[in-house]
Amino acid sequence: SSDGGVWTWGTGCFGELGCGGCSEASTSIPRSIQLGVRAIAVSCGFYHSAAVSSDGGVWTWGTGCFGELGCGGCSEASTSIPRSIQLGVRAIAVSCGFYHSAAVSSDGGVW
């Protein structure tokens, strides 16, 4: 939204909506998720999502069994609650694929 909020809807049984487990997340009504920061970009993958915050941070949520969340293996990474990942650079864009994610840093690097 114009104020930096992120809204999600649809089926979220794998945490990709960022607002709870399967029974709480599947919805046809858009709901705001809580990042705690102002989002400037959002991308959705198959079972995960990501956002870039106005301060250059990257936030991920959903299932990360293939490392797509950027914070470890399946048991460590899967979460229905958005969390910040550490790139060590200021991100300006993020893109999620089927089982992968990528970010562009302010210096033009791809992560």
Side-chain angles (χ1 to χ4, degrees):
S1 65
S2 61
D3 66 353
V6 175
W7 295 75
T8 61
W9 58 93
T11 299
C13 292
F14 296 94
E16 60 269 47
L17 298 183
C19 53
C22 190
S23 62
E24 297 87 19
S26 297
T27 179
S28 61
I29 300 170
R31 288 193 289 196
S32 176
I33 64 170
Q34 302 302 312
L35 290 180
V37 294
R38 184 177 185 277
I40 60 169
V42 177
S43 182
C44 300
F46 193 62
Y47 290 129
H48 71 293
S49 302
V52 176
S53 59
S54 59
D55 64 359
V58 175
W59 295 75
T60 60
W61 59 95
T63 297
C65 292
F66 297 97
E68 56 267 52
L69 299 185
C71 52
C74 190
S75 61
E76 298 85 16
S78 298
T79 178
S80 61
I81 306 299
R83 63 179 165 197
S84 177
I85 63 168
Q86 302 303 311
L87 291 180
V89 296
R90 181 181 173 86
I92 58 170
V94 67
S95 183
C96 298
F98 200 77
Y99 290 128
H100 66 282
S101 301
V104 177
S105 62
S106 59
D107 64 1
V110 178
W111 299 82

